[in-house]
Amino acid sequence: MPEPQSDPSRPRSRPSPPPGAAPACREPELQRLRADHAPALLAFERENRAWFAASIPDRGDAYFTGFAARHAELLAEQDEGLHHFHVLVGADGAIVGRVNLVDVADGSAELGYRVAEKATGRGLATAAVGRLCRLAADTYGLTTLRAKTTLDNAGSRAVLARTGFTPVGETVLDGRPGLRFVRDLTRPAPK
């Protein structure tokens, strides 16, 4: 007797985890930055300040004391099409990462990203950068992305390499040697 064919219009159910097993984690959602993200974004930046400052230039105290005004300015600039800011939001509403496109002009933008210390090592940065590259091409109409990182930030260099960025030259970031990268969004994404 032939096996019954599955109905593709019916969603497949997942088996329940065994008793006592941890529930499956949902990948954080990439969301365009909004005004209501402000409290969670400020908490994310405060909680991870020292972690970030170990590998990228610190934002400085003024960033935190003037956060509300700066957040409003960024949203206004986003509305003008100058930048595209995104956050990675976990199931609990906490922000676990940022992925941004800044200085949008002539089909190009600068990529910047950061992931919370507690969320590292799970491929979130690579997945988020990959999603943003597709969004940059398909939604924002960009053809080229630029990025840069310090030489001692091996994790960031690996994310850029895995998402199709190629090194194009040296640079200095906050007094530290670094590399500049480019991604041609008109070419197929790496597998």
Side-chain angles (χ1 to χ4, degrees):
M1 176 172 201
E3 292 194 359
Q5 298 295 314
S6 63
D7 180 356
S9 66
R10 274 184 58 185
R12 291 184 179 181
S13 61
R14 294 180 183 225
S16 299
C25 289
R26 191 182 94 211
E27 188 171 310
E29 182 181 350
L30 184 67
Q31 298 178 4
R32 189 164 169 91
L33 186 64
R34 304 183 310 258
D36 65 323
H37 286 129
L41 183 57
L42 180 57
F44 164 80
E45 292 289 351
R46 281 185 174 147
E47 182 179 310
N48 293 283
R49 184 177 183 181
W51 165 250
F52 295 145
S55 59
I56 57 177
D58 184 58
R59 293 189 183 280
D61 293 339
Y63 173 84
F64 297 94
T65 59
F67 182 84
R70 180 70 179 134
H71 190 71
E73 288 171 12
L74 293 177
L75 291 173
E77 291 173 358
Q78 178 171 258
D79 288 344
E80 293 174 28
L82 303 173
H83 315 291
H84 301 291
F85 302 108
H86 301 82
V87 290
L88 286 170
V89 181
D92 62 356
I95 291 177
V96 296
R98 298 182 76 163
V99 190
N100 300 318
L101 299 173
V102 299
D103 300 331
V104 176
D106 301 322
S108 179
E110 178 93 15
L111 169 73
Y113 56 92
R114 51 179 60 198
V115 174
E117 181 176 17
K118 68 182 180 184
T120 60
R122 301 188 326 215
L124 293 180
T126 300
V129 168
R131 283 186 283 183
L132 194 60
C133 287
R134 289 186 297 279
L135 194 63
D138 299 343
T139 302
Y140 304 138
L142 301 177
T143 57
T144 306
L145 295 182
R146 302 173 311 279
K148 53 191 168 195
T149 188
T150 56
L151 289 177
D152 61 354
N153 191 339
S156 188
R157 287 193 338 268
V159 166
L160 293 171
R162 285 191 294 263
T163 55
F165 284 79
T166 56
V168 294
E170 297 177 356
T171 190
V172 175
L173 299 168
D174 201 32
R176 293 160 51 192
L179 290 173
R180 292 179 295 112
F181 293 80
V182 171
R183 164 84 195 271
D184 180 351
L185 296 173
T186 65
R187 294 181 175 218
K191 301 278 182 204

